[in-house]
Amino acid sequence: MAWHKQHKVNSKDKILASAAALFTRHGFEKVSINQVMASAKMTRGAFYSHFESKSDLYAQAIIKAAVLAKQQQLEQCSDDLRTMSLTYLSAEHRDEKLENLCPLAFLVTDINQQDEVVKNTYTKIFKGFIEQTQSLTQSKSAALQSAALLIGGLALAKAINDHALSDDLLIACQTGVTELTVRND
Amino acid sequence: MAWHKQHKVNSKDKILASAAALFTRHGFEKVSINQVMASAKMTRGAFYSHFESKSDLYAQAIIKAAVLAKQQQLEQCSDDLRTMSLTYLSAEHRDEKLENLCPLAFLVTDINQQDEVVKNTYTKIFKGFIEQTQSLTQSKSAALQSAALLIGGLALAKAINDHALSDDLLIACQTGVTELTVRND
DNA sequence: GTCTATAAAGGGATAGAC
DNA sequence: GTCTATCCCTTTATAGAC
C-alpha cells in the first residue's frame, strides 16, 4: 500500500477512535464535528474527505467503539459470564474510567433519534453481544435476560444520581446475571 | 382562585403535557421550544413566563411524564408485578402506541447529558419506581433486578431494529420479572 | 488530503406592544 | 400572559487555495 493511501487510512482511523470516545461519553447531539476533528488533531474541513455526513460518522464510530470495548474485555480474560459481568457492571465502566465504553449501554436511547443505517448498525452489534452471552447461558431466553441486565443495568446505574443506590443496582444485576449462568462446577 | 390565575395554571399544564409527550418520544435535543409551544397551541414568546429555560422545562416534564404513565398503568389494574410487566414490556409501549411513555426507559441515556437538577429528578422518579417493585418482590436485590429488566429491557427492545428479536427480548424480560415475583398462590 | 473561509439554517433567549 | 420581532450563537456542510 502506498504511503499516501496509508496516510488516509491512519487519519480515518484516528477520527473514528476520537469519535468513538466522544460519542459514547456525550451522545450524538452534544458532540460536534469540530470537537471530533480537534480530538484527532485535524480541522473541520478535512472531515468530508472521509465521511459523507455526521450520521455516517456516527454509524461507523459505534462499530469502532464496540470493537475497542470488546478488545479491552478480552484483555481481562473473562471467559465466563460471571467474571465478565464484574467488569461490565463495574463502577469504573459506569464512571467512564475505562478508556473504551460499551456503546450498547451508553447510547441505548440515543439510537432512537437516528436514521435506519445507525439503527441497523446498533442491532448488528447487539446480535454479536447476544451470541456471546448465549454461548455462556442455558437458553436463548437466559441470554436475552442477561443482556438486559448487563446493558440495561449499566445504563440505569449511569443515569442514577444516588451513588449508594447505583452501586446496589450494579451488584444486584451482577447477581442476576450469575444466577443465569450455566453451572459447570 | 381568580380566573387569570387558573388560566396560567392551565397553560403551564398544557405545556407540560405537550413537553412530556414530545420529550419521551424524541429526547431533549431533537425537541425545540417552538415545537412544544406549537403542540400546546401557543407561540414561543409565551414560554418564558412559565419556565426559566429549556432545561427547567425538561426537568418538570419528565415528572409530568412519570405521573401520567403511572396513572395510565393504574387504569389497567395491575397490582402484581407479573401483569404489570405484561403492559410495561409490551409492543404497544415500545412502539409508542400508548399515549404516555415511561421516561425512565425512553430517556435513560438522555439524562447523562443534562444538568444536576434533571439528574436529581430522574433519580427521584426511579426511587418511586423501585418502591413499587420492592413491595411486590422478595428482596431489595430482586426489586433492583426487576427494575433493570423492565426499564433496560424496554429501552433495548426499542433500540433494536429486528422486530422478531425485539419481541423475543420483551418476552424474555417478562419471564425474568415473573420469576422474581413473590409466590403467593 | 488538509487547510481557511464562508454559506445557510436552526434554535435558545430577550424586548416591547397589547 | 401572550403575542411578534429580533438578537446572537452554534453547527452542518461546501468552496477553493495549497
Side-chain angles (χ1 to χ4, degrees):
Chain A
M1 196 181 289
W3 286 2
H4 62 282
K5 182 80 181 267
Q6 186 61 48
H7 181 201
K8 176 169 183 178
V9 173
N10 287 341
S11 290
K12 179 166 183 176
D13 198 64
K14 212 170 170 184
I15 296 171
L16 279 176
S18 296
L22 287 168
F23 280 137
T24 52
R25 282 166 175 77
H26 307 115
F28 180 80
E29 293 287 348
K30 283 283 207 295
V31 173
S32 68
I33 295 174
N34 239 349
Q35 282 179 278
V36 173
M37 296 303 283
S39 173
K41 314 273 193 219
M42 278 181 273
T43 56
R44 190 174 43 211
F47 175 79
Y48 290 92
S49 48
H50 295 284
F51 302 94
E52 285 190 353
S53 64
K54 186 184 178 185
S55 185
D56 178 29
L57 170 68
Y58 191 67
Q60 295 191 47
I62 60 178
I63 296 178
K64 181 73 178 177
V67 169
L68 290 173
K70 177 77 179 174
Q71 285 176 355
Q72 182 182 248
Q73 179 206 124
L74 290 176
E75 287 167 11
Q76 312 229 356
C77 299
S78 50
D79 54 348
D80 69 296
L81 204 52
R82 201 187 65 80
T83 46
M84 189 270 226
S85 76
L86 293 181
T87 58
Y88 193 93
L89 290 168
S90 66
E92 289 73 28
H93 198 179
R94 177 197 62 195
D95 298 337
E96 305 173 8
K97 298 285 170 56
L98 300 180
E99 198 175 331
N100 305 302
L101 312 175
C102 179
L104 292 174
F106 282 79
L107 299 173
V108 62
T109 59
D110 214 82
I111 299 300
N112 300 335
Q113 317 312 327
Q114 312 303 327
D115 60 31
E116 288 304 306
V117 176
V118 172
K119 286 182 182 170
N120 289 337
T121 304
Y122 184 92
T123 302
K124 203 169 173 181
I125 296 170
F126 179 72
K127 287 182 178 175
F129 192 90
I130 286 292
E131 279 179 27
Q132 188 189 5
T133 58
Q134 184 143 16
S135 68
L136 301 168
T137 51
Q138 298 179 352
S139 63
K140 185 176 183 187
S141 180
L144 291 171
Q145 288 173 32
S146 295
L149 284 171
L150 289 166
I151 299 169
L154 180 59
L156 256 179
K158 173 86 190 154
I160 296 304
N161 219 3
D162 183 319
H163 207 298
L165 181 60
S166 182
D167 287 349
D168 286 347
L169 180 61
L170 289 178
I171 292 170
C173 290
Q174 288 171 3
T175 305
V177 170
T178 302
E179 289 169 357
L180 290 168
T181 306
V182 177
R183 293 280 163 207
N184 293 324
D185 48 353
Chain B
M1 193 181 291
W3 287 0
H4 61 283
K5 183 81 182 266
Q6 186 60 47
H7 182 202
K8 176 168 183 178
V9 173
N10 286 342
S11 290
K12 180 165 182 176
D13 198 64
K14 211 169 169 184
I15 296 171
L16 279 176
S18 297
L22 286 168
F23 280 137
T24 52
R25 282 166 175 77
H26 308 115
F28 181 79
E29 294 287 349
K30 284 283 206 296
V31 174
S32 69
I33 294 174
N34 239 346
Q35 283 178 275
V36 174
M37 295 303 282
S39 174
K41 314 274 193 216
M42 278 181 273
T43 56
R44 192 172 44 211
F47 175 78
Y48 291 93
S49 49
H50 295 283
F51 302 94
E52 286 189 352
S53 64
K54 186 183 179 185
S55 185
D56 178 26
L57 169 67
Y58 191 66
Q60 295 190 46
I62 59 178
I63 296 179
K64 181 72 176 177
V67 169
L68 290 174
K70 177 76 179 173
Q71 285 176 354
Q72 181 182 249
Q73 181 206 122
L74 289 176
E75 287 167 11
Q76 313 230 351
C77 298
S78 51
D79 55 347
D80 69 297
L81 203 52
R82 198 187 67 81
T83 46
M84 188 271 225
S85 76
L86 292 182
T87 58
Y88 193 93
L89 290 168
S90 66
E92 289 72 29
H93 198 178
R94 177 197 63 195
D95 297 337
E96 303 173 10
K97 298 285 170 57
L98 299 182
E99 198 175 331
N100 304 301
L101 311 175
C102 179
L104 292 174
F106 282 79
L107 299 173
V108 60
T109 60
D110 213 82
I111 299 301
N112 300 334
Q113 316 310 329
Q114 313 303 326
D115 60 31
E116 287 304 306
V117 176
V118 172
K119 287 181 182 170
N120 289 337
T121 303
Y122 184 91
T123 303
K124 203 171 173 180
I125 296 170
F126 178 72
K127 287 180 179 176
F129 191 90
I130 286 292
E131 277 178 29
Q132 186 189 5
T133 58
Q134 185 143 16
S135 68
L136 302 169
T137 51
Q138 298 179 352
S139 63
K140 185 177 182 186
S141 180
L144 292 170
Q145 289 171 31
S146 296
L149 284 172
L150 289 165
I151 299 169
L154 180 59
L156 256 180
K158 173 85 189 153
I160 296 304
N161 218 2
D162 183 318
H163 207 296
L165 181 59
S166 182
D167 287 348
D168 286 348
L169 181 61
L170 289 178
I171 292 170
C173 290
Q174 289 172 0
T175 305
V177 170
T178 302
E179 288 168 357
L180 290 167
T181 306
V182 177
R183 293 279 163 207
N184 292 324
D185 47 355

